[in-house]
Amino acid sequence: MAVQEARGDTGADGTHEGGCTCGDCPHGAREGHRRAAAAFLRRRDEFAAGQGLPTAVAHSASASRQWISEELTQRAEAVAERGRAEGEAWLAGLWPRTVAVVWGAVVVLLLGEALTAIGAGWTVARTAALIAALVVAGALTAAGRLHRARGGALAPVIGEDNRMSTSRTVAAGWVLFVGYAVLLLATRLAAASDHAERDALISGLDLARGTGVVTVLAVVCGIAVLVRRVVGLRILAQRLQKVPAHRPRAADLLTDDSGRGTFTDIQYVAVSAVALVFAAVRLARRPGQLPDLPWGLGVIVLISAATYLAGKYAEGGRPVVLSVVRAREPGDLDGPIRTGDDIEIRGAGFVPPGARTADRLARMVVRIGTVDVHVPLVPVTGGFRNPTDTVLTVPVPAEVEPGAVEVQVVTAAGVATNRYTVQVTE
């Protein structure tokens, strides 16, 4: 019975149905993660309300806190494992949808050409545009098949942190558009029988006519490469904290790692999309040459790209410990820090963007002298009171020797703060 419940209901054809929670199919992985997350949230809120504590630890505040933290940590790891399984299953099931979108765009192009051909008649340019679209769609389908385990055609624009990359997506859009435009001209050139027409098509590839498009293409591709380099160097220098996501989302193009909208990303995507639409209209009106993107619009795209790059240089920062004080409960006497006391570490950047889930919070460590102390999870209704981005509270273990000791925080991203010296008395 338990095995049947864990694996879910299986139909006669081998498909999973009903409340499947296994990891063998996308539905099962998604449903299993949803149920595990809901159970974790219920348990967290029960602990926040003082319910569910064993009698053996209920009499001691420190023992209760430690037991709750360990229990939540184990449950959070189970939820995280479900989340990773869901992300892998979602990526594996994404490539058929990307193929459907690609061929749906080809169908839309065909319908648009058929409707606009009423009265004007079908031309060689329309045939060339459709053939070029078929070639691009076929190439994307083949690429999606090869990378079906990593999101199909979207695999090149998914970053190392398992999020959609804004710079790569913008660059990929321009690469596809310029590639399609060149294929369109090549198809028309192959079908041209008149010498003058062939010369006109070849002159349509002159740099003088496509300077704006070529410049924008070079800049956005350079930005994609440079941003990857900048992010990598800042991570190695501990100037930027990165934690991987369970799966990529379309919202990643407009938000930071914590899911909040960012001005630099939004304006870069918006300006690039507008410029692409303009270039597509120019190509539709003049299919015999590369789109002559006006320099005014090209400069706007360049300014937008420079703003986006500047934002990548400015984001992030190393976590820092500003002060360490003895945590005092109401009614306690003032005094120095002793072993067994709680200390409150104040600073900034303790919780990296995207690391506010319980499994990531549980990975935070405070190094007191030579002893590593895991930061306890203290739940409140709807979240956690400890740890936070600016304040951590941990006990001073008995293994810490009295005297001057250094306190250092290691975040979930593996970045260590500065060392802060405190005096521990007997």
Side-chain angles (χ1 to χ4, degrees):
M1 183 68 177
V3 174
Q4 183 178 1
E5 182 179 358
R7 293 186 176 275
D9 299 328
T10 304
D13 59 351
T15 59
H16 296 257
E17 302 172 351
C20 172
T21 59
C22 71
D24 297 337
C25 61
H27 170 75
R30 182 172 60 251
E31 183 66 17
H33 179 236
R34 186 190 66 81
R35 292 184 180 182
F40 173 82
L41 295 178
R42 286 195 303 268
R43 194 62 170 165
R44 182 199 63 191
D45 292 343
E46 287 177 0
F47 287 150
Q51 303 172 2
L53 288 176
T55 307
V57 300
H59 66 281
S60 172
S62 60
S64 299
R65 182 180 63 183
Q66 184 65 27
W67 187 89
I68 290 173
S69 179
E70 293 294 337
E71 180 73 9
L72 289 177
T73 298
Q74 294 179 9
R75 290 175 175 267
E77 287 295 336
V79 174
E81 184 64 30
R82 289 284 192 177
R84 287 187 287 270
E86 181 205 3
E88 293 174 359
W90 185 86
L91 278 177
L94 182 61
W95 84 271
R97 284 177 279 176
T98 60
V99 171
V101 170
V102 168
W103 288 101
V106 174
V107 172
V108 170
L109 176 63
L110 175 60
L111 293 177
E113 289 188 335
L115 291 175
T116 55
I118 298 177
W122 192 269
T123 62
V124 175
R126 299 179 190 276
T127 303
L130 185 58
I131 293 175
L134 291 174
V135 172
V136 172
L140 290 177
T141 302
R145 175 69 179 176
L146 291 175
H147 298 281
R148 57 187 178 276
R150 289 294 303 163
L154 295 181
V157 300
I158 297 176
E160 289 74 14
D161 58 351
N162 210 26
R163 294 181 176 89
M164 294 282 290
S165 171
T166 302
S167 58
R168 296 184 193 181
T169 302
V170 171
W174 281 101
V175 168
L176 286 176
F177 173 75
V178 173
Y180 172 78
V182 173
L183 281 174
L184 172 59
L185 292 176
T187 305
R188 290 199 60 188
L189 182 63
S193 57
D194 184 69
H195 180 73
E197 183 181 0
R198 289 196 297 268
D199 290 342
L201 290 172
I202 293 175
S203 64
L205 290 171
D206 287 345
L207 186 60
R209 296 185 177 183
T211 304
V213 169
V214 173
T215 302
V216 169
L217 176 65
V219 169
V220 296
C221 289
I223 290 291
V225 175
L226 185 58
V227 164
R228 180 179 181 182
R229 180 65 174 171
V230 167
V231 171
L233 291 178
R234 287 174 63 82
I235 291 175
L236 293 177
Q238 297 191 357
R239 298 291 181 183
L240 180 65
Q241 301 188 73
K242 277 279 188 181
V243 293
H246 289 319
R247 68 175 180 88
R249 292 176 170 83
D252 296 337
L253 300 177
L254 307 176
T255 62
D256 58 12
D257 291 353
S258 61
R260 294 174 296 187
T262 57
F263 168 75
T264 54
D265 291 56
I266 293 174
Q267 61 86 28
Y268 189 41
V269 172
V271 171
S272 299
V274 170
L276 265 176
V277 170
F278 183 90
V281 172
R282 295 289 288 179
L283 179 64
R285 300 297 295 175
R286 296 181 179 179
Q289 65 180 52
L290 285 177
D292 51 342
L293 195 68
W295 270 112
L297 184 56
V299 170
I300 292 175
V301 175
L302 300 186
I303 294 174
S304 175
T307 304
Y308 173 77
L309 181 61
K312 286 299 178 182
Y313 272 103
E315 72 176 358
R318 187 169 183 174
V320 58
V321 174
L322 300 178
S323 61
V324 179
V325 299
R326 176 176 176 269
R328 178 180 176 274
E329 296 291 337
D332 285 352
L333 298 176
D334 294 327
I337 299 176
R338 297 184 175 88
T339 55
D341 290 344
D342 287 344
I343 57 174
E344 187 178 278
I345 305 171
R346 301 171 183 174
F350 296 150
V351 180
R356 296 189 179 275
T357 56
D359 62 300
R360 300 273 168 70
L361 295 177
R363 296 179 62 187
M364 299 179 63
V365 174
V366 175
R367 186 167 295 139
I368 306 176
T370 59
V371 181
D372 288 343
V373 183
H374 283 80
V375 180
L377 299 177
V378 180
V380 293
T381 302
F384 293 94
R385 185 177 62 196
N386 186 65
T388 66
D389 191 56
T390 56
V391 178
L392 305 178
T393 301
V394 295
V396 180
E399 291 78 9
V400 175
E401 297 291 336
V405 296
E406 293 181 334
V407 177
Q408 188 180 32
V409 176
V410 181
T411 70
V415 179
T417 66
N418 57 304
R419 301 177 184 271
Y420 191 93
T421 304
V422 298
Q423 292 291 331
V424 177
T425 62
E426 298 182 359

